[in-house]
Amino acid sequence: MHFLSLTPIVLLQLTFLAVLHGAKWTYSGPEGEHHWPKNYPYCGGTFQSPIDIKSDLLRFDPSLRPIEIHNYNLSPHEQLTLGNNGHSVQISLPSKMYISSLPHRYTAAQLHFHWGSSNRPAGSEHTVNSKQFAAEMHVVHYNSDQYPNMSMAVDKSDGLAVLGVLIEVGEFNPAFEQFLKFINGIKYRDQRVQVPGFNIRALLPARLDEYYRYDGSLTTPPCYPSVLWTVFRNHVTISRKQFLALATALYSSHAQDSAPMPMNGNFRKPQHPDSRVVLVSFKDGRGLQGTLTAASPLTRKQIVQQLLVGDLADLADEGLYKLLPSGSEKLHAGKKKDLKNQQSATLAKSKQQTLNPSLWKKSQTNRSVGKLGLAEDALCYVSLEQRVFHQLKQSHAENQLVQALKDATFPELNLKSYLECRSDLALPTIRHILRGRPTDEALELDRSLTKALMNNGKVSTAIKQSVPVTKYGGFSPATVPKKPHSQGYPHPWLLPMEWED
């Protein structure tokens, strides 16, 4: 495409994105992660990573298969590129490496690391029940069934799959030594060296059948929520000397810079769960006895189809509440703490719709909510960012970009994730699904389930508050109370990931 043929609007969008995605970022200081959303709006959006993998987020999914990796044992005759990109140590990986146990074939692209510092050996990005490990390795793959390369896949909602390996300081690890012995050749930013191939499988834990699975994002700008995360349950160890090689030998600045900047503490803090759940492939005596079981894909699709186009009165009459598991009392109690956050988010969304109704209306158009096909198409975050930014530019509301992107992507992304069993179906999404459905049917479904839950003592105090419901099964913005704590949620039962077969 020649630039001479571009319209002024497209030129504006391309200029914006070029500036946006070329912005400097760091983990601390003026360009630290609190600053990322200003230049990379998705960093302030939904479905962000990493997260704290807490017990109350877990659902056991018996359909999760062991991770099947192929061609990970590389020959010493193959040359890999070990580089310092200013943010991490990265190793390029050959395209013959891939994962076959996911919905698509995911081809390996690179692996890299995040770590702490010499005086604080805690630098993993994911934490488990608030425990932070010394470091973390990410093996990045792209969806090669759908996209020709990594750069084309990175901004698509089904584009990436990352294997996360938690690393603790302990026994010496000979596999890590295969590249750490070359680390002095990449002390400064943009330096690269060639290293012989080695067995990448040896960098992973022994068991590939025990892992956490959830939908998330890149943990660095531009933070696209395009990653299917697999974080292995069991950690690997490296020696203290090996850890210090990462934590003390490298700089995030160029060799010619007058003030060298040490590279350490290069990890992002945990992000909000945003109605997601974490599926687990294991269920045993290590604190998972009370973990609920995820519904089957068929059950989920049947329920969503019924919500989309079915008879809601029939859905209520069929006793949908019976699908709630016996452990839901504990879960509802655990979710009380998150209620205020959900309420605040809903108020913010209502405010956004009031401030910019034309944008909200635009973001809701062309959505076939009556078809499950809505969840099958990958979202392209770059094009969405361009469109939303242009709409905001017209209304002189560029400062609302982060919130507008949340409003434009969350319902669709949440539904897609839910159907693939990696998220709760959040309340705004339920309202979106029920948009346009007959008022009496929506109300009957609400009353039936609310009554059943109250009779069973499974209802939180939030249910007991009276909140007007619109014909869409949601709250009317005009009736939302001013104070978040006074807003009730008549649908705390609508967390379909808690339904069992």
Side-chain angles (χ1 to χ4, degrees):
M1 180 184 292
H2 296 288
F3 277 90
L4 292 176
S5 64
L6 296 178
T7 66
I9 291 176
V10 174
L11 280 172
L12 171 66
Q13 293 171 347
L14 290 175
T15 302
F16 159 69
L17 289 170
V19 172
L20 188 73
H21 294 151
K24 181 182 177 183
W25 62 270
T26 60
Y27 285 97
S28 59
E31 284 92 25
E33 57 181 287
H34 66 283
H35 184 79
W36 293 358
K38 295 179 183 177
N39 293 316
Y40 302 94
Y42 281 104
C43 296
T46 52
F47 282 25
Q48 288 295 289
S49 295
I51 60 171
D52 182 19
I53 301 172
K54 289 185 175 293
S55 297
D56 60 1
L57 298 178
L58 305 183
R59 305 284 192 281
F60 171 62
D61 186 345
S63 70
L64 290 179
R65 298 156 48 197
I67 299 299
E68 296 176 12
I69 57 175
H70 300 267
N71 303 324
Y72 264 51
N73 190 359
L74 303 177
S75 163
H77 300 294
E78 298 184 68
Q79 292 293 299
L80 305 178
T81 300
L82 175 69
N84 176 340
N85 62 16
H87 304 292
S88 181
V89 169
Q90 182 170 302
I91 301 175
S92 63
L93 297 174
S95 58
K96 71 176 186 178
M97 295 173 54
Y98 68 95
I99 304 174
S100 66
S101 51
L102 298 174
H104 298 282
R105 176 167 170 156
Y106 284 84
T107 294
Q110 49 99 341
L111 65 82
H112 62 269
F113 299 86
H114 302 269
W115 59 87
S117 60
S118 57
N119 57 0
R120 187 179 181 273
S124 69
E125 297 204 301
H126 288 93
T127 55
V128 180
N129 287 320
S130 301
K131 172 181 169 57
Q132 188 176 26
F133 294 78
E136 184 169 340
M137 179 179 73
H138 295 157
V139 189
V140 183
H141 304 71
Y142 70 92
N143 181 349
S144 52
D145 280 347
Q146 303 289 332
Y147 311 106
N149 52 50
M150 174 81 168
S151 60
M152 291 294 291
V154 68
D155 65 318
K156 309 302 191 300
S157 59
D158 63 350
L160 305 181
V162 178
L163 303 181
V165 178
L166 301 169
I167 303 170
E168 198 68 289
V169 173
E171 294 183 10
F172 174 82
N173 192 319
F176 279 72
E177 200 64 20
Q178 295 297 313
F179 66 89
L180 287 176
K181 61 187 177 184
F182 297 100
I183 204 164
N184 284 329
I186 59 162
K187 291 183 73 70
Y188 298 98
R189 183 176 190 143
D190 294 335
Q191 289 185 337
R192 297 177 181 84
V193 296
Q194 297 297 299
V195 301
F198 61 99
N199 188 0
I200 305 297
R201 168 65 180 89
L203 298 175
L204 306 179
R207 298 194 63 165
L208 301 185
D209 60 331
E210 295 187 345
Y211 55 85
Y212 307 99
R213 165 71 51 76
Y214 79 100
D215 264 332
S217 74
L218 303 173
T219 64
T220 58
C223 305
Y224 294 133
S226 57
V227 179
L228 173 60
W229 277 99
T230 300
V231 180
F232 290 109
R233 177 194 197 184
N234 299 300
H235 66 265
V236 301
T237 64
I238 58 176
S239 69
R240 175 147 185 89
K241 183 178 179 181
Q242 289 177 310
F243 175 79
L244 291 176
L246 278 176
T248 64
L250 302 167
Y251 296 91
S252 58
S253 49
H254 293 96
Q256 63 270 26
D257 291 346
S258 55
M261 297 290 295
M263 185 191 294
N264 55 48
N266 58 344
F267 59 90
R268 189 185 192 189
K269 294 181 177 65
Q271 305 296 299
H272 194 275
D274 283 327
S275 296
R276 287 171 290 186
V277 300
V278 177
L279 298 184
V280 290
S281 63
F282 53 91
K283 189 174 186 180
D284 60 16
R286 287 163 62 177
L288 287 171
Q289 299 94 327
T291 302
L292 299 175
T293 300
S296 72
L298 178 61
T299 301
R300 289 193 303 278
K301 291 201 175 188
Q302 287 174 339
I303 291 170
V304 172
Q305 184 70 47
Q306 188 83 326
L307 288 169
L308 286 168
V309 297
D311 188 326
L312 297 180
D314 285 349
L315 193 60
D317 293 339
E318 288 168 3
L320 185 61
Y321 68 90
K322 293 178 182 178
L323 293 172
L324 288 168
S326 59
S328 60
E329 302 97 324
K330 180 179 178 181
L331 264 172
H332 286 311
K335 291 183 183 294
K336 289 178 182 177
K337 185 177 180 180
D338 294 329
L339 186 58
K340 186 174 288 186
N341 292 335
Q342 289 181 316
Q343 293 167 340
S344 300
T346 301
L347 284 175
K349 180 171 287 189
S350 298
K351 182 179 179 182
Q352 167 66 24
Q353 295 171 27
T354 303
L355 289 173
N356 202 344
S358 62
L359 174 62
W360 171 254
K361 185 176 181 181
K362 176 75 174 177
S363 72
Q364 299 304 301
T365 59
N366 300 322
R367 294 190 178 202
S368 303
V369 295
K371 300 179 181 178
L372 287 177
L374 166 74
E376 305 300 330
D377 298 326
L379 302 178
C380 176
Y381 298 110
V382 164
S383 62
L384 189 63
E385 195 173 348
Q386 289 176 340
R387 187 175 77 245
V388 172
F389 178 77
H390 177 60
Q391 292 163 356
L392 289 170
K393 193 81 173 176
Q394 290 178 319
S395 62
H396 306 287
E398 298 94 325
N399 62 331
Q400 297 175 349
L401 181 57
V402 171
Q403 184 61 45
L405 282 170
K406 284 184 182 181
D407 292 340
T409 62
F410 184 74
E412 195 167 343
L413 186 58
N414 189 286
L415 179 57
K416 175 182 173 63
S417 301
Y418 172 69
L419 290 176
E420 294 179 2
C421 196
R422 296 190 299 277
S423 143
D424 280 328
L425 196 56
L427 295 174
T429 312
I430 288 292
R431 298 186 193 113
H432 179 72
I433 291 175
L434 293 178
R435 188 176 299 275
R437 301 306 309 277
T439 306
D440 53 347
E441 289 186 4
L443 286 174
E444 184 173 350
L445 177 61
D446 173 75
R447 291 194 190 101
S448 173
L449 289 172
T450 301
K451 181 179 179 181
L453 285 170
M454 292 180 73
N455 289 342
N456 285 304
K458 296 181 180 179
V459 63
S460 70
T461 55
I463 298 181
K464 300 174 184 177
Q465 302 178 31
S466 176
V467 179
V469 179
T470 70
K471 68 177 182 178
Y472 306 127
F475 304 123
S476 167
T479 61
V480 175
K482 293 182 179 180
K483 295 182 180 180
H485 69 263
S486 65
Q487 181 184 7
Y489 271 74
H491 300 286
W493 43 266
L494 266 174
L495 292 168
M497 287 293 296
E498 297 177 11
W499 303 345
E500 295 194 74
D501 295 338

